[in-house]
Amino acid sequence: MNQILSLPPDELRHLVVNNGISLIAAVLTLIIGWAVARLGARWLRFALDRIPQFDPTLTPLLTKAVRY
């Protein structure tokens, strides 16, 4: 920690900005991934509900697998 704090202000600012951008990108990727997984699970549930001969007990299993 002391090594980081002993950096010159310009290098410290550069380090914080670069890592901050990486952190924001990682959080946005996580949120977008959750949204896409949720939409995929909904779409699969809708598609499986429209198939009359499909076993209804498998629908929750498959939608959870897609979501995770």
Side-chain angles (χ1 to χ4, degrees), residues 33-50 59-60 62-68:
W34 276 337
V36 168
R38 178 171 278 187
L39 287 173
R42 273 191 207 159
W43 177 82
L44 182 63
R45 179 178 296 274
F46 175 76
L48 292 177
D49 286 342
R50 294 180 58 98
T59 300
L62 293 175
T63 55
K64 294 261 187 204
V66 166
R67 189 166 179 194
Y68 290 111

Side-chain angles (χ1 to χ4, degrees), residues 1-52:
M1 186 69 164
N2 288 336
Q3 290 176 345
I4 293 174
L5 293 177
S6 65
L7 289 172
D10 289 339
E11 288 183 34
L12 185 60
R13 185 178 314 119
H14 181 70
L15 183 69
V16 169
V17 168
N18 282 344
N19 289 333
I21 290 171
S22 295
L23 178 65
I24 290 169
V27 169
L28 285 175
T29 302
L30 183 65
I31 291 170
I32 291 169
W34 276 337
V36 168
R38 178 171 278 187
L39 287 173
R42 273 191 207 159
W43 177 82
L44 182 63
R45 179 178 296 274
F46 175 76
L48 292 177
D49 286 342
R50 294 180 58 98
I51 301 173

